[in-house]
Amino acid sequence: MPQHILSAASHQAFTDIGDDEVEAIRAFNRFYTNRIGVLDRAFMDTPYTLTEARVIYELAAQGTTSASRLTEELSLDPAYLSRMLKSFSDAGLLETTRDPADGRGRLLRLTLRGRGVATDLAQRSRQRIVALLQPIAEEGRRDLAAAMALVQTLLSGANSADAPITIRPHRIGDMGMVISSQAKAYTETYGWNGEYEALVAEICAAFIRNFDPACERCWIAERNGMFLGSIFLVKGSGEGTAKLRLLSVDAAARGQGLGTRLVDECIAFARDAGYRRLELWTNDILVSARKIYVAAGFTLERQEPHHSFGKDLNGQIWALDLTAPDSGTAPSA
């Protein structure tokens, strides 16, 4: 069958992709390739094309390789690559030696001059990227790097769930993510109304206004730069008392122990900061969170019904004695 004729399955898969999605990626490709100058005939103001520069980079990175391996890794036409490698050899950039594992094969390696060219190309590339990033604020640069990592993960077919989850202190802009993620999650899962979003916004605003880094903290969990959860520790009303607030774990990270990790971070910091008691307020319908609190050693002190967020709920106060020698560990069965 001619290559230009799609099978029924392929045609169906193609039609499942929206035109807007396709055009958005095509537009980005045009913008980005023009922005970084890869369409220039002389790549980075050098005598080399983009493809030639890419081959030189691979030769430098691998140290010693073969033409067949380059062909496979870079998806290049073998005849085209052969002509390119011959031009490199003629220019004194490349040397070949017999492959000891294959008497008929040849190994490729950059000469000293070739390594100098590779170094120059790398420096020019870095300078171009630095110039591209310079006008962007630090927060924007982090967002850009995270977005590019996500693009790479999705298009490579890699399972992003295999990437590690990191936990870091909060930065400018994180409160908006906390408010948005919690409001959406509780509305979708429990049908809570906008009152809850207002409460989360008030808690976040008070945290930023009154933040005392010596005894308060917010932790943000993320994978490949994508927000996955958070937890707060703030001063409580009584002396020596802290409050655990706004524990959240995104659906994409549930079942991976992230909630426990966040609570453990909170307890450890509270103890190091000199608090003697850690309190939290929750509702009995939040079963998964309550399991984490029980496992960490919290005990239920009181509860009462209330009507909030458009629902009839049963609020609970849980507490952890940080002075107890076994605080922060699950009680024995």
Side-chain angles (χ1 to χ4, degrees):
M1 183 171 61
Q3 289 184 344
H4 67 276
I5 299 178
L6 295 172
S7 67
S10 297
H11 180 74
Q12 179 60 44
F14 182 79
T15 56
D16 286 344
I17 306 298
D19 288 343
D20 290 346
E21 297 170 354
V22 172
E23 292 307 315
I25 292 176
R26 292 184 65 203
F28 176 80
N29 287 343
R30 293 191 297 271
F31 164 78
Y32 190 64
T33 52
N34 182 62
R35 195 79 171 84
I36 63 175
V38 299
L39 300 179
D40 298 343
R41 176 62 182 85
F43 181 67
M44 300 286 179
D45 298 319
T46 70
Y48 307 102
T49 65
L50 172 63
T51 306
E52 290 170 337
R54 184 73 171 86
V55 170
I56 291 172
Y57 170 83
E58 285 299 327
L59 288 166
Q62 296 187 29
T64 301
T65 187
S66 65
S68 60
R69 190 179 302 169
L70 286 174
T71 298
E72 181 180 351
E73 292 182 356
L74 300 179
S75 301
L76 293 175
D77 176 72
Y80 173 54
L81 177 62
S82 179
R83 292 193 298 271
M84 186 188 304
L85 294 176
K86 184 179 184 306
S87 70
F88 289 165
S89 181
D90 292 343
L93 307 182
L94 184 68
E95 60 184 8
T96 62
T97 57
R98 185 180 298 276
D99 187 347
D102 180 2
R104 295 175 300 175
R106 307 290 291 179
L107 295 177
L108 311 173
R109 182 170 52 244
L110 290 176
T111 63
L112 180 61
R113 181 180 179 184
R115 292 196 296 274
V117 169
T119 299
D120 178 62
L121 286 169
Q123 290 175 342
R124 288 171 183 264
S125 179
R126 288 185 59 82
Q127 290 168 0
R128 177 73 64 89
I129 298 302
V130 167
L132 191 67
L133 296 177
Q134 218 158 22
I136 305 175
E138 180 181 357
E139 194 70 24
R141 295 197 299 270
R142 284 197 294 262
D143 291 343
L144 179 62
M148 286 183 162
L150 178 60
V151 169
Q152 183 175 347
T153 297
L154 293 175
L155 293 184
S156 68
N159 185 358
S160 61
D162 293 337
I165 297 175
T166 59
I167 298 176
R168 60 167 176 79
H170 75 283
R171 297 192 295 244
I172 297 296
D174 284 338
M175 295 303 121
M177 293 191 299
V178 171
I179 296 167
S180 175
S181 66
Q182 291 230 5
K184 290 177 181 177
Y186 282 91
T187 295
E188 292 170 359
T189 306
Y190 301 105
W192 291 4
N193 63 21
E195 293 175 18
Y196 183 70
E197 183 173 9
L199 173 63
V200 177
E202 290 166 2
I203 293 171
C204 289
F207 176 79
I208 292 299
R209 276 197 297 266
N210 306 314
F211 178 51
D212 183 348
C215 54
E216 296 182 311
R217 188 66 58 92
C218 166
W219 293 266
I220 301 295
E222 59 187 14
R223 177 193 283 128
N224 289 332
M226 301 301 294
F227 178 85
L228 288 180
S230 61
I231 194 170
F232 290 69
L233 180 100
V234 299
K235 297 174 187 175
S237 55
E239 184 178 353
T241 298
K243 283 187 177 181
L244 182 159
R245 309 206 74 171
L246 300 181
L247 169 65
S248 72
V249 175
D250 189 84
R254 289 173 192 162
Q256 300 177 47
L258 177 57
T260 298
R261 284 179 61 191
L262 289 168
V263 170
D264 287 347
E265 289 276 0
C266 192
I267 292 172
F269 180 84
R271 184 178 291 108
D272 290 343
Y275 288 110
R276 299 189 298 276
R277 174 182 168 89
L278 182 57
E279 295 179 346
L280 65 90
W281 177 80
T282 187
N283 288 277
D284 63 359
I285 62 171
L286 306 182
V287 178
S288 296
R290 287 193 296 113
K291 288 180 179 178
I292 295 173
Y293 302 143
V294 170
F298 284 85
T299 57
L300 176 63
E301 292 196 335
R302 61 184 185 275
Q303 56 185 327
E304 59 181 352
H306 64 103
H307 184 85
S308 303
F309 323 131
K311 300 289 181 178
D312 290 325
L313 301 169
N314 187 45
Q316 298 179 329
I317 300 293
W318 292 73
L320 176 67
D321 181 2
L322 296 173
T323 64
D326 60 344
S327 65
T329 59
S332 300

